[in-house]
Amino acid sequence: MLRISEDGCGGAHGMAKRGFFAELNYQAQQAEKRRRQQQAAAVRAHNAAVREAERARRAAERARAAAGRAAEAQRKAAEKEAARLHVEARTAEADAMNKDLAATYDDIDTLLVWTLDFDDFVDLEALKVTVEHPPFDPGQLGEPVPPVPELVYPPQPTYSEPAAPKGLSAAFGGKKRHAEATEQARTAHERAQREWHEAATRQHAAHVAELAARENAETDRLARLAKAESTYRAECAKREAGAATKNEELTKFINDLAFDIEYAIEDYVGIVLSNSVYPDAFPVEHEHSFDLGTRELTLQVNIPEPSALPTTKEYRYVKAKDEITVIQLPAKSQKDRYNTAVHQVALRSLHEVFEADRAGKIHSIALTVGVNRVSPATGQPEYVPLVVVAADRETFGSFDLANVVPAATLDLLGAAMSRSPFDLTPADTSRGVRQRAH
């Protein structure tokens, strides 16, 4: 089941050959391609060579730095070691380039084998979308405004009357002094009482203001939190609606395919072909149409010109010149690789469509593999057919493609094949290609 995230509701509507469903499956296939490439022995060897080249380069840099710091007596030995490590680094660099080249050629040489490991059937039900909503994150809005601390008044002033005089002190004016002290104490107490009451009144007023401000802030927070929650629910609803629309489109498409609606069969083939991932060094494009009356798919596969393929046989480090030189592939090797790739593409294309069409809605395929180019004679665009073949399901399904020679299989099918694909010699279609196709 495919899932879309919070920003995954967009996308084109309709069932274009490279529309919403095809793109989803294409991305999944690209991820699978990257996974397979990481597992490939050639890629692992290339990655190891790159790491070794980087290690050697860093070692050479450290040696050069050490030579610069060395004393005169040690300088020659240090410079010699730096030179040795430099050669080692450049040699490792050339080795990494060769490993990369080998991986590229392996991709081209195994175009047919690569697809045989896949089931090209597309489970359309698995393309239905379920929405994964991100959790609602209110941020600071989720935290209530801190409460106002409880109001605590300072202790209220207490009156403490001066002690009455006793004995002789009372007889010699003590009573008068006591009365004066008492009056002063009462006056001071009354003043302290007034000051305390005034301070408490101010403190109470400030506390009431703080409570009101806190209540206002909390009311504002709750309002903004409610708005954020409403926005979140609206976004969730939008995602759900987008997913429902996609799933409705997909359900209709599945039903139309089940009932042999012509556009649905044609678009399903488009999804299958969009999943046909070719190496970067050998990009391929497809054009197709389906005729329900004859149950025949007309398929055109456009491949790169021979000049687009690499022509290097090997990279070699030349110590005397301190440079990495290129050794070219012999012309025959270039021709053989391209010619074989053309034949592999033809069988791969037939295989992918027939295998993906489990319901057997397509009875036959009329296939052309060729090159779009500018004619050297006219300067105008032209299409050069290199393989033209028709194949029916029953005949093609009897082949064990893991053990065939592609050119021989095409010949058995009565294909018209170019005598020299590498030279872009057009296939001769004058005699037709259906003698042995059905």
Side-chain angles (χ1 to χ4, degrees):
M1 185 73 71
L2 284 168
R3 305 178 187 273
I4 55 176
S5 60
E6 55 183 306
D7 59 352
C9 288
H13 293 278
M15 289 302 304
K17 294 176 185 175
R18 194 57 184 279
F20 173 72
F21 307 118
E23 187 62 29
L24 285 178
N25 215 31
Y26 173 76
Q27 294 300 333
Q29 192 78 353
Q30 287 285 49
E32 176 64 12
K33 176 192 174 185
R34 289 191 291 271
R35 184 189 69 80
R36 286 172 56 85
Q37 285 180 331
Q38 289 302 316
Q39 293 177 343
V43 173
R44 291 198 300 271
H46 163 63
N47 292 340
V50 170
R51 290 192 296 270
E52 174 59 21
E54 180 62 18
R55 184 205 63 76
R57 183 188 64 78
R58 290 196 299 268
E61 288 179 352
R62 288 194 298 269
R64 283 194 294 270
R69 296 190 301 268
E72 186 62 32
Q74 301 171 318
R75 189 177 302 278
K76 288 186 178 181
E79 288 177 348
K80 183 178 180 180
E81 176 64 7
R84 184 189 70 79
L85 290 174
H86 174 73
V87 171
E88 182 180 304
R90 294 307 304 273
T91 302
E93 182 182 353
D95 184 53
M97 295 169 69
N98 284 325
K99 293 293 194 304
D100 183 49
L101 188 65
T104 297
Y105 285 148
D106 183 67
D107 284 344
I108 297 172
D109 295 340
T110 59
L111 291 175
L112 178 58
V113 172
W114 193 86
T115 197
L116 296 180
D117 292 336
F118 287 97
D119 182 356
D120 295 293
F121 172 75
V122 179
D123 183 2
L124 296 174
E125 288 288 347
L127 294 181
K128 287 190 174 179
V129 176
T130 58
V131 180
E132 287 186 343
H133 300 296
F136 175 65
D137 181 11
Q140 291 185 344
L141 292 178
E143 300 293 331
V145 178
V148 177
E150 184 179 353
L151 177 59
V152 179
Y153 294 107
Q156 190 172 351
T158 58
Y159 174 71
S160 179
E161 187 169 326
K166 297 179 181 180
L168 293 176
S169 63
F172 294 97
K175 291 183 178 180
K176 181 178 180 181
R177 289 193 297 274
H178 177 258
E180 292 173 350
T182 300
E183 181 62 25
Q184 291 174 355
R186 287 174 179 170
T187 300
H189 175 66
E190 290 173 356
R191 183 171 60 251
Q193 280 285 84
R194 287 195 304 271
E195 291 175 350
W196 178 88
H197 185 269
E198 291 170 356
T201 299
R202 291 193 300 271
Q203 188 176 357
H204 179 267
H207 182 68
V208 169
E210 287 182 21
L211 288 173
R214 191 266 173 192
E215 183 176 358
N216 290 337
E218 180 66 5
T219 300
D220 178 67
R221 180 191 75 84
L222 292 174
R224 289 189 288 139
L225 178 61
K227 182 177 180 181
E229 290 176 334
S230 177
T231 300
Y232 171 76
R233 288 192 297 271
E235 291 172 347
C236 290
K238 182 179 179 181
R239 284 188 287 270
E240 293 286 356
T245 298
K246 303 302 179 190
N247 289 338
E248 288 171 5
E249 291 178 1
L250 184 52
T251 297
K252 179 181 183 302
F253 178 64
I254 292 172
N255 291 336
D256 288 348
L257 184 62
F259 284 99
D260 289 353
I261 305 302
E262 189 171 82
Y263 93 88
I265 297 173
E266 184 167 317
D267 284 347
Y268 176 74
V269 172
I271 295 175
V272 172
L273 295 176
S274 76
N275 288 345
S276 184
V277 180
Y278 278 78
D280 293 338
F282 202 93
V284 164
E285 295 179 348
H286 301 92
E287 299 175 30
H288 70 282
S289 62
F290 178 69
D291 182 80
L292 185 61
T294 61
R295 295 277 179 171
E296 179 163 277
L297 179 76
T298 300
L299 175 59
Q300 178 175 304
V301 184
N302 305 322
I303 63 175
E305 296 186 51
S307 59
L309 271 62
T311 60
T312 300
K313 177 183 178 181
E314 181 186 2
Y315 295 99
R316 186 173 298 172
Y317 173 63
V318 179
K319 180 179 177 181
K321 297 181 179 180
D322 190 25
E323 64 181 22
I324 295 175
T325 60
V326 174
I327 299 175
Q328 292 293 324
L329 271 174
K332 184 178 185 307
S333 297
Q334 296 180 43
K335 289 183 178 182
D336 290 346
R337 172 166 286 117
Y338 186 81
N339 296 349
T340 301
V342 171
H343 300 150
Q344 289 191 73
V345 169
L347 292 189
R348 170 172 170 164
S349 301
L350 295 170
H351 163 77
E352 288 173 338
V353 173
F354 280 136
E355 181 178 69
D357 178 27
R358 288 183 183 175
K361 297 179 182 298
I362 299 169
H363 294 174
S364 63
I365 301 175
L367 171 70
T368 303
V369 178
V371 170
N372 284 305
R373 70 163 182 178
V374 175
S375 169
T378 67
Q380 298 297 321
E382 69 172 358
Y383 186 74
V384 181
L386 301 176
V387 173
V388 182
V389 64
D392 68 276
R393 172 182 294 276
E394 182 178 0
T395 300
F396 194 81
S398 67
F399 300 154
D400 180 2
L401 297 181
N403 295 306
V404 302
V405 175
T409 305
L410 291 170
D411 185 61
L412 178 65
L413 290 171
M417 295 184 285
S418 167
R419 293 190 306 276
S420 179
F422 185 82
D423 297 317
L424 296 183
T425 303
D428 181 9
T429 59
S430 60
R431 64 185 182 87
V433 293
R434 293 187 178 272
Q435 294 88 340
R436 285 169 282 180
H438 298 287

